[in-house]
Amino acid sequence: MALRGERGTETQTDEMVTPTPNTVLNAKVKNASIKKVPFGLINTFIIVFTLADRNRMLLLNHYLYNRLAKDVFGNITFDTTSEPCVNETDPTTSNTDADRVQSMTSSVIMKFDITASVLEVFAVLFLGTFSTSLGRKAQLLIPISGYTVRALSILAVALWDLDLAWLYVGCVAEGLMGGKTGIYLAAYLYVSDITPRNKKRTLGMSLLEGIRGIMGSAINILSGQMIQRTTFIVPALFTACGSLICLLMATLMPNHMQMSEKWSKDILRKSWRTLISPFLGNKDKRVKQMMIVASAVYVLGFSTIYSLDRIRLLYLMYRPFCWSAINIGWYQFGRQAIFNMSIIILIPLCQHCLLGVSLAVVGAAASVAEYILYAFANNNTHLYVALPLSFGQGFPLNLIRGETSRLFGTEKQGPLFACMAVLESISFAVGIFMMSIYTMSLGFFTGLSFLVFAAMILIVLILLCIFQFLWKDYNKSLIQQEKLIPAKLEGSVAAALDAKDDTNHDGDLQIREGTKKRNKMDGEIEMDLLKQERDIESEFDLD
């Protein structure tokens, strides 16, 4: 930048005014955008994985229910996928055969999930801590490999009617390699690498969640049809093929990463510090407080969603509803389509008017009302009334994930998402034990677990309000700092000009002093010459 002084000379002040790191970062962030091709690739991967996983969850519930019903009822001829409430001799008692099947199914699912979730915690610790060394491709390959093993084990048990204990092989393999939590950890790290550190990151992560949800909701219809109209082998084959496609895609995925770190002993030494760095590595007290609140939201939110997804399936199969696989598939489709469409539409539309996690507060309030309706529902109409209230389920976790990601730079994204993934794994373990509440309440109040879920989400709502208050205060201070930057720059420019003017003024004084000295010397020389001339003239006069 060339500045012109009073004396008409150009003065270069670029070296005098150095832009601060904040101004450089802000300029880059404003001009940055989401990288479309990598974002499309990771979305395709997540969509295929979601189709396979949603089918697997519905398949496993119905398959286990069918196998355990055979143990309770003997050689049954009826189809539990279309008539889950048959052979009840006394609906008023708590020891009916249907109650036993419900209780046994819930317990078996709980055992399988505990096995996978406990191992998942340690695998996710590894994947998150060494995220900068593994690379994004390896982080996708490791967990999807374990998931594929579990999908193949389900196919083998369904195909050859093996003992249910063989399903533990897949649970162990999935848990040791990170499972679903590890896959989503890698996916969100990938998104954080290809999105700028502004609102577009929150939007990108929300779109990732919403798009996979919309595509995944459609599989509920297809899965219900496959389970009820074909054998269990067809949906099991669908899940296995989907996981194999994801494995192939992960192999071909570009290893997109903004930074990398080589393996060394130092990495092992500092691994624990790296993992907790989002909590302790920031000097700003408000950032630490927001991370603590966000962690509590994560644990409570994921525990609720994880338990709810499993209990709802059994709840709909239980009296007085006794829904078939097809009916459950359609209902699940409607519910997931509503809250995922809300993520895709409402978050982009409201990101300018409802800042921070304001929309998440609204979503949490709607979820509380939905779960209370579930608890006291005694006919199909109550379930359909609760359906529109599901629009807010995805807001709390999606928005809290995006806003916390914006608090940190690239080097902290790995530890941040590792923390979130570990909390998610712990939440799954907590959520598994929530299923025992449903099992115990079968005899007297089946909706008790939904009241517990409503209470948990009410706590989440309060925590979101606290996070919003901290977020506003933190952003207010950032805005004030940004306003001070132009004044500092202006002051630096003025100081540079003053210094240059002072330099020019001192130079002028030196020149004038030099001129005076030269004039004085010239005068003295002239006086000497005149004196010499007069002396010569007097000599000639004497002669």
Side-chain angles (χ1 to χ4, degrees), residues 446-505:
T446 314
L448 177 62
S449 54
F450 292 100
L451 286 182
V452 176
F453 296 149
M456 292 173 68
I457 297 301
L458 185 60
I459 297 172
V460 168
L461 189 151
I462 296 171
L463 291 172
L464 287 170
C465 292
I466 297 172
F467 185 93
Q468 181 70 8
F469 173 78
L470 295 170
W471 181 88
K472 280 186 176 181
D473 187 48
Y474 178 70
N475 277 272
K476 185 178 179 180
S477 65
L478 290 181
I479 292 171
Q480 290 175 347
Q481 290 177 10
E482 289 179 357
K483 287 180 178 179
L484 291 175
I485 290 172
K488 291 181 179 179
L489 289 175
E490 186 177 350
S492 300
V493 173
L497 288 174
D498 291 340
K500 194 64 180 179
D501 288 341
D502 291 340
T503 302
N504 293 338
H505 183 65

Side-chain angles (χ1 to χ4, degrees), residues 135-369:
R136 299 299 179 242
K137 180 182 287 189
Q139 281 193 297
L140 281 172
L141 278 172
I142 293 172
I144 194 61
S145 299
Y147 185 90
T148 303
V149 172
R150 186 171 186 185
L152 292 174
S153 69
I154 294 173
L155 176 62
V157 171
L159 183 62
W160 292 300
D161 201 24
L162 302 176
D163 190 273
L164 294 179
W166 282 100
L167 293 175
Y168 281 106
V169 175
C171 293
V172 171
E174 183 183 21
L176 286 174
M177 294 188 175
K180 288 172 57 177
T181 310
I183 292 170
Y184 289 127
L185 165 65
Y188 285 114
L189 279 174
Y190 201 95
V191 172
S192 70
D193 276 346
I194 59 177
T195 54
R197 190 179 170 184
N198 57 15
K199 290 181 181 178
K200 291 178 182 177
R201 177 171 297 175
T202 304
L203 179 61
M205 291 184 178
S206 298
L207 286 175
L208 176 66
E209 187 76 16
I211 290 171
R212 77 177 182 87
I214 286 292
M215 299 302 295
S217 61
I219 194 61
N220 289 291
I221 301 173
L222 179 61
S223 183
Q225 296 284 344
M226 286 191 297
I227 291 171
Q228 187 167 330
R229 300 187 184 281
T230 67
T231 62
F232 291 105
I233 298 173
V234 175
L237 186 62
F238 180 90
T239 294
C241 290
S243 60
L244 288 170
I245 292 171
C246 287
L247 183 63
L248 178 62
M249 289 183 66
T251 306
L252 302 176
M253 191 83 70
N255 192 24
H256 197 285
M257 195 170 179
Q258 290 184 1
M259 59 180 297
S260 60
E261 189 176 4
K262 293 183 178 179
W263 284 90
S264 66
K265 293 181 179 179
D266 291 335
I267 296 179
L268 294 172
R269 200 176 297 116
K270 67 180 183 180
S271 58
W272 178 249
R273 290 183 180 180
T274 301
L275 188 65
I276 62 175
S277 60
F279 294 94
L280 304 179
N282 198 297
K283 296 180 180 179
D284 196 309
K285 183 180 178 181
R286 288 162 300 190
V287 174
K288 294 179 182 179
Q289 291 172 340
M290 282 190 283
M291 279 301 303
I292 293 172
V293 174
S295 300
V297 171
Y298 242 67
V299 172
L300 291 172
F302 269 114
S303 298
T304 302
I305 291 175
Y306 181 83
S307 305
L308 186 69
D309 286 342
R310 281 150 181 77
I311 290 175
R312 186 190 295 109
L313 295 177
L314 295 173
Y315 185 67
L316 295 176
M317 294 169 67
Y318 192 63
R319 62 174 189 264
F321 312 111
C322 299
W323 282 10
S324 67
I326 292 178
N327 289 339
I328 292 175
W330 276 103
Y331 188 82
Q332 288 285 85
F333 164 74
R335 188 177 181 281
Q336 291 171 11
I338 288 172
F339 78 74
N340 284 296
M341 282 298 292
S342 300
I343 291 173
I344 293 176
I345 296 173
L346 292 182
I347 289 181
L349 286 178
C350 300
Q351 64 175 334
H352 297 294
C353 56
L354 294 176
L355 302 178
V357 294
S358 301
L359 191 60
V361 174
V362 177
S367 295
V368 171

